[in-house]
Amino acid sequence: MVADTPELVPLLAHLARISRRAAERAADDDDTTLRPRHVIALELLRDRGPMSQRDLGAALSLDPSNVVGLLNELERDGLLERRRDPRDRRRHVVTLSASGVRAHERSAHRYREIEDRIFASLTAAERRAVHDLLSRVAADAADAARPEPRD
């Protein structure tokens, strides 16, 4: 435990609630704006390329049954494709579609507008620093939450 540090989890939860409400309102007001969970999934596929369904679920820190529901929604809307892995027919490989790229870009633009309002008190450099720090923490937390491989 780090002494003399403020409690971050309650603050992050509060900020997440504020951000989630604004994001859900944007998605409700504009049917081309994706929900935050959809944006993150598409962003992972954009940044990392095709992934197994299992690896995508692990990167999202989601239970496998929740991954299936999320991917069903995105596949239904033509934003990604799932195909059997030719090397292992038990696995599905998930790929971002061209429609998914465009939908992600539209939604990312809308979310930047929301971020501009929420983080108006920060400079661009401070926002980059917050993003970099939170990205690092999120990656470490996802690694820490991943179950140990079984022998």
Side-chain angles (χ1 to χ4, degrees):
M1 180 188 284
V2 179
D4 297 323
T5 60
E7 292 80 23
L8 293 173
V9 170
L11 179 59
L12 288 171
H14 178 66
L15 186 56
R17 252 190 322 280
I18 292 168
S19 301
R20 189 177 309 110
R21 278 193 208 119
E24 302 231 335
R25 270 194 308 273
D28 288 344
D29 292 346
D30 173 12
D31 63 358
T32 64
T33 300
L34 299 171
R35 302 259 180 228
R37 64 183 174 270
H38 296 140
V39 172
I40 294 296
L42 296 180
E43 204 165 271
L44 281 167
L45 291 169
R46 181 201 65 196
D47 294 348
R48 298 183 185 180
M51 302 174 71
S52 74
Q53 187 169 304
R54 183 178 187 200
D55 289 345
L56 181 59
L60 292 167
S61 297
L62 287 177
D63 181 80
S65 62
N66 292 331
V67 173
V68 170
L70 174 70
L71 295 181
N72 285 346
E73 294 169 2
L74 292 169
E75 188 174 41
R76 177 197 65 220
D77 294 339
L79 305 180
L80 59 78
E81 297 173 355
R82 273 186 287 193
R83 294 212 167 89
R84 292 272 180 204
D85 185 336
R87 294 171 299 194
D88 183 349
R89 302 289 297 159
R90 296 170 294 176
R91 290 176 10 131
H92 281 95
V93 175
V94 183
T95 307
L96 184 62
S97 70
S99 294
V101 170
R102 289 189 299 276
H104 178 269
E105 288 171 356
R106 279 191 309 272
S107 295
H109 175 74
R110 183 71 175 113
Y111 286 126
R112 277 191 288 281
E113 292 172 348
I114 293 167
E115 290 167 9
D116 286 345
R117 288 193 312 269
I118 292 172
F119 294 98
S121 62
L122 300 180
T123 66
E126 289 170 330
R127 282 175 64 173
R128 273 191 298 280
V130 168
H131 180 273
D132 292 347
L133 291 169
L134 290 175
S135 294
R136 191 169 82 206
V137 170
D140 290 346
D143 288 342
R146 197 167 287 131
E148 292 292 321
R150 294 181 191 169
D151 291 331

